[in-house]
Amino acid sequence: MDKLLLPVLLGTNRKGRNSIHPAKWLVGEMEKRAEIATKLFDVGDFALPQDDYGQGLKDLFPDWRDTIIKADGLVIVAPEYNHGYPGTLKAVLDLMLREYVHKAVAFVGVSAGPWGATRVIESMVPMVRELGLAVTFSDLNFPKVQNTFDAEGKLLDAAFEKRARDFLDELVWMATTLKWGRENVPSKFHQV
Ligand SMILES: Cc1cc2nc3c(=O)[nH]c(=O)nc-3n(C[C@H](O)[C@H](O)[C@H](O)COP(=O)(O)O)c2cc1C
């Protein structure tokens, strides 16, 4: 069976961001699984123009465009910024639309405080629904992330290993099911 293509999008370009640690660590966990192919995208690598916005810009970012076209799902690593998510993350997601339809999305929430960006994820659900993505119900939350990884990005709390396994199991189930659906059940949004 073909591997599921499940890219990871790191959702902040902040200098000194801690979200890079869970993002890179999760990519490592995904790479251990035979059924997953993945790749880390970083919103900091998108030179977004300040005088234009949206789908008309997608050809400026061919790697992201082509990966999302081929993808079976997406992992979004969202930092908590004043109980919301960064505009840069939204701007990168808004580069595409139809290409997301009937694919899975799973959220990783990262915060300095005790809530692990749960509020942020809740607020992103209606937005990704409009993109046509289908949300898993198993988030991976990193509260107090500064205590969970050391400065080199080494995981300090082994409890996250099982949490990540459960998170990925659910994403794989959703992505597999939706892939079968895209390939077998007609829809005006994609070719069967
Ligand atoms: C503009 C801004 C607002 C923030 N607001 C919150 C917040 O509301 N709650 C919280 O727990 N942490 C907040 N933080 C801290 C981040 O959640 C923390 O730095 C975490 O590591 C994720 O962001 P990072 O990847 O930029 O480090 C904020 C950080 C910034 C830069």
Side-chain angles (χ1 to χ4, degrees):
M1 202 171 113
D2 286 348
K3 290 188 179 210
L4 296 165
L5 178 56
L6 301 171
V8 175
L9 180 61
L10 170 58
T12 171
N13 59 353
R14 188 178 77 80
K15 284 192 179 64
R17 59 210 171 158
N18 276 315
S19 300
I20 197 158
H21 298 319
K24 284 189 168 172
W25 176 77
L26 184 65
V27 166
E29 295 302 293
M30 293 170 80
E31 285 172 343
K32 291 178 193 164
R33 295 181 65 135
E35 73 274 45
I36 296 178
T38 191
K39 175 169 182 170
L40 180 62
F41 286 86
D42 178 345
V43 297
D45 292 334
F46 289 67
L48 292 160
Q50 292 301 309
D51 60 352
D52 204 358
Y53 195 93
Q55 290 193 71
L57 302 176
K58 68 182 157 199
D59 295 338
L60 296 177
F61 309 101
D63 192 13
W64 173 246
R65 179 199 63 201
D66 294 346
T67 301
I68 292 298
I69 288 169
K70 284 185 279 176
D72 300 299
L74 176 63
V75 175
I76 298 175
V77 180
E80 177 160 346
Y81 289 168
N82 298 323
H83 298 192
Y85 52 91
T88 322
L89 171 55
K90 180 72 159 59
V92 170
L93 291 171
D94 286 341
L95 291 169
M96 317 274 279
L97 184 57
R98 283 246 171 163
E99 296 86 348
Y100 297 117
V101 171
H102 295 160
K103 297 179 178 180
V105 63
F107 287 105
V108 177
V110 187
S111 74
W115 307 117
T118 50
R119 294 172 285 220
V120 178
I121 294 169
E122 294 289 314
S123 71
M124 292 189 81
V125 167
M127 183 269 287
V128 295
R129 178 174 172 267
E130 178 58 18
L131 298 178
L133 290 161
V135 188
T136 65
F137 74 108
S138 51
D139 309 327
L140 188 58
N141 302 99
F142 289 90
K144 301 187 177 173
V145 67
Q146 65 280 8
N147 301 333
T148 307
F149 293 87
D150 71 12
E152 278 71 52
K154 185 173 175 297
L155 182 69
L156 301 174
D157 181 351
F160 281 94
E161 287 166 13
K162 179 179 183 312
R163 289 175 199 152
R165 267 200 309 279
D166 291 347
F167 169 85
L168 291 173
D169 284 349
E170 181 58 20
L171 174 58
V172 164
W173 192 94
M174 289 280 285
T176 304
T177 304
L178 288 160
K179 180 181 170 74
W180 188 89
R182 288 194 311 280
E183 291 172 355
N184 293 281
V185 183
S187 164
K188 68 177 182 179
F189 294 109
H190 44 74
Q191 309 269 325
V192 172

